Amino acid sequence: ALAYYDYFGENAGPRGLGYYSYPVGSWRVYSINSELVGSAASGQAQWLREELARFPTPCAAAVWHKPLFTSGPNGPNPHMQETWRILYNANVDIVLNGHDHVYERFAPQEPDGRPDNARGIRQFTVGTGGVGLYSFGAPRPNSEVRASVWGVIVLFLGNGRYEWNFVPAGIAGVNFGDTGEGSCH
């Protein structure tokens, strides 16, 4: 990941760690390194708990590469469950992942994958940036939308709420999109 640190410099947090946080309007975004051990005692887990306590916000999101939940071929990734649990306990609203070359949206859920509309985290997997797309296996519980199309997600992070819009790449014959909104908890 040296090229990542070279390109983003100080914005990528301390060189070699790969985890940091930053504000986006009234939101706080936590960038997590899913290549690290995800135990409760890890340095990243301790940092995350401290950051969540240091920057209490009504709305928060987390971003990392390997999704805990996926209907794609590269998961699930259970080493991320403790990170999800820390975020869930702090009432984080959104998790944004990549890794699987698909688009998938999950309903709000607990770290164990049970639905939770009151406090659950909504996960988006958006690995649709231009490399070869993957096929899906059997849909995982709480998976609401799945598509193997190239495109981007646009997130609007407002005061107490968020909106999403998956915009497919301008490829003839692709007629897919996914839009919606949610409230922070």
Side-chain angles (χ1 to χ4, degrees):
L2 294 178
Y4 174 83
Y5 298 109
D6 291 342
Y7 182 82
F8 289 105
E10 291 179 6
N11 292 328
R15 188 170 186 84
L17 294 181
Y19 50 88
Y20 51 94
S21 72
Y22 54 94
V24 176
S26 62
W27 284 65
R28 190 81 185 170
V29 177
Y30 299 89
S31 181
I32 307 296
N33 186 344
S34 63
E35 301 302 315
L36 299 178
V37 174
S39 73
S42 71
Q44 180 172 248
Q46 292 172 3
W47 166 86
L48 182 56
R49 283 193 283 289
E50 290 169 4
E51 286 288 291
L52 288 161
R54 194 170 106 187
F55 296 107
T57 59
C59 301
V63 180
W64 69 80
H65 188 67
K66 293 180 177 177
L68 173 58
F69 304 104
T70 181
S71 302
N74 290 321
N77 294 283
H79 73 283
M80 295 309 297
Q81 188 169 26
E82 183 58 31
T83 299
W84 189 286
R85 188 172 319 286
I86 293 167
L87 296 168
Y88 177 82
N89 289 338
N91 291 316
V92 168
D93 304 285
I94 298 171
V95 164
L96 183 63
N97 301 127
H99 197 49
D100 274 332
H101 302 174
V102 298
Y103 174 76
E104 186 168 23
R105 174 173 49 86
F106 284 84
Q109 57 189 339
E110 298 177 344
D112 297 321
R114 289 186 293 274
D116 183 350
N117 288 326
R119 291 188 50 227
I121 301 172
R122 181 178 303 280
Q123 178 189 303
F124 297 90
T125 300
V126 187
T128 55
V131 296
L133 297 169
Y134 296 165
S135 298
F136 286 98
R140 301 290 295 177
N142 304 316
S143 176
E144 294 181 316
V145 175
R146 292 166 303 287
S148 289
V149 298
W150 286 292
V152 298
I153 191 166
V154 178
L155 293 173
F156 170 77
L157 306 177
N159 290 326
R161 58 188 289 279
Y162 59 95
E163 297 175 15
W164 68 88
N165 182 14
F166 180 83
V167 181
I171 299 173
V174 174
N175 188 20
F176 171 80
D178 183 38
T179 61
E181 60 183 41
S183 297
C184 299
H185 34 293

